[in-house]
Amino acid sequence: MNILVTGGAGFIGSNFIKYMLQNKDCNIVNLDLLTYAGNIKNLEGLSENKRYTYIKGDILNRGLLDYIFRTFEIQIVVNFAAESHVDRSIEDPEIFLKTNVMGTQALLDTAKDYWKLNLADKYSKEFEKGVKFIQVSTDEVYGSLGPSGYFTEETCLAPNSPYSATKASADMMVRAYYETYGLPVCITRCSNNYGPYQFPEKLIPLMINNALKGLSLPVYGDGKQVRDWLYVEDHCSAISAVIEKGKSGEVYNIGGNNEKENIEIVKLILDKLGKEHSLITHVKDRLGHDRRYSIDNTKINKELGWSPSYNFEEGMEKTITWYLENVEWMEDIVSGEYMRYYNKMYDGR
Ligand code: NAD
Ligand code: DAU
């Protein structure tokens, strides 16, 4: 199985590459532009692995995509490459359109041309051989929930942030390539991930870093927004199940059955690190802030036999331990451009 992973130097992509190389018989090509969120150190130890190739480049570069498909005889695409942070999308939406929408379309086009499908036939020989395009999407495309209810795969798309609007747009293009050209695709929509190698612009690593340094912990609004948290390795195993058993043209929701208010998580981090709750500072809320996400993962559980392996306590224990043991990894990030970002986002908020 020859897999093209895009965005494999980011948080989930790097965890996914390691998970696949450890657990599956596959060759992986990692195409990553190394934006601020990409970090080659996330993949340390793999450079000698003969089943792994890293290529620095842009998913918008069609010539490069053609070369990669032909040279490595790509059978599976797992598209993680994206601008992924909601707050950045509120400040500057344009790059989100370029990468998340145009980039996905460039990949779809290249896969379509390279796989030379019988375009009218969704059940072509190539599909039977296991060729597949996996679009790694997000539960945020469904918008926001009230205090009850869940997102199912039938829930209408109602994205609220520029980030989620671009992810929803990409999903629509993926769907169109399936309906129009018969490209074998699956879309996964996962809830909030946490774990090793997450960039400290996201809630959990940001709060761990600030708590360790005795800095204030900036909770948006009342902190009662709810997210459904999933340990990153469980997301990786879910995508692997979709590669192996997912049906073409289908959407699969992925979630941890694990809803938490942001404030609960922040307090848990402080307690685990032995720090005072007085570090918590409520700051101005995110614009258009979604109140609650919750995933119904019945479909992937029943049809593909996947369920999460880690509960939240285990996952958080592993995560906090990892950040404590990898202070250098964090310091490398927060000593550079990151502080300019942080000050712009949080100063006087
Ligand atoms: P991330 O920001 O940590 O990583 C994104 C990676 O994509 C980086 O390595 C970056 O260098 C790369 N990249 C960006 N633009 C590129 C381009 N034009 N060409 C090639 N590479 C490029 O993101 P993440 O948190 O690992 O998320 C990965 C994917 O999973 C995203 O598509 C995101 O929408 C989706 N997702 C994330 C979560 C979550 O909780 N983090 C949950 C559900 C879905
Ligand atoms: O649901 C899946 C999505 O989860 C992914 O598609 C996104 O790529 C990923 O970034 C994540 O989006 P969120 O906006 O939910 O994650 P974030 O870590 O930015 O924020 C989680 C919650 O914490 C959210 O309600 C905002 C809040 N928050 C976040 C930060 C960074 C704070 O209160 N303070 C903060 O400083």
Side-chain angles (χ1 to χ4, degrees), residues 7 9-12 32-35 37-38 57-59 80-82 84 99 136-138 163 167 190-193:
F11 164 48
I12 308 173
D32 195 299
L33 187 57
L34 293 188
T35 66
D58 195 329
I59 56 168
F80 291 101
S84 69
T99 302
V136 182
S137 184
T138 167
Y163 161 70
K167 293 297 287 186
C190 189
S191 60
N192 286 61
N193 285 215

Side-chain angles (χ1 to χ4, degrees), residues 14-58:
S14 60
N15 278 284
F16 177 75
I17 289 172
K18 287 177 209 157
Y19 175 88
M20 291 299 283
L21 290 172
Q22 269 160 27
N23 294 290
K24 303 288 163 184
D25 182 15
C26 61
N27 302 305
I28 293 186
V29 180
N30 172 16
L31 173 65
D32 195 299
L33 187 57
L34 293 188
T35 66
Y36 78 91
N39 187 347
I40 211 63
K41 292 199 174 127
N42 295 359
L43 294 152
E44 248 165 18
L46 291 187
S47 53
E48 301 300 308
N49 191 319
K50 292 197 168 51
R51 295 190 290 133
Y52 171 73
T53 307
Y54 169 66
I55 296 175
K56 181 170 186 215
D58 195 329

Side-chain angles (χ1 to χ4, degrees), residues 83-87 137-140 163 167 190-193 198 201-204 206-207 218-221 223 225-227 229 262 283 286 289-290 293 341 346:
E83 289 294 328
S84 69
H85 192 40
V86 174
D87 292 327
S137 184
T138 167
D139 61 356
E140 298 200 11
Y163 161 70
K167 293 297 287 186
C190 189
S191 60
N192 286 61
N193 285 215
Q198 187 166 31
E201 64 190 351
K202 307 283 165 56
L203 181 75
I204 290 178
L206 185 148
M207 296 298 171
V219 170
Y220 297 166
Q225 302 83 4
V226 173
R227 299 290 182 268
W229 294 91
N262 295 338
V283 300
R286 175 184 276 175
H289 200 171
D290 287 339
Y293 305 142
Y341 162 81
Y346 293 94

Side-chain angles (χ1 to χ4, degrees), residues 140-167:
E140 298 200 11
V141 297
Y142 297 121
S144 184
L145 290 164
S148 61
Y150 302 94
F151 297 134
T152 74
E153 289 80 359
E154 312 305 322
T155 304
C156 289
L157 302 196
N160 292 319
S161 71
Y163 161 70
S164 54
T166 60
K167 293 297 287 186

Side-chain angles (χ1 to χ4, degrees), residues 3-14:
I3 307 177
L4 171 61
V5 172
T6 68
F11 164 48
I12 308 173
S14 60

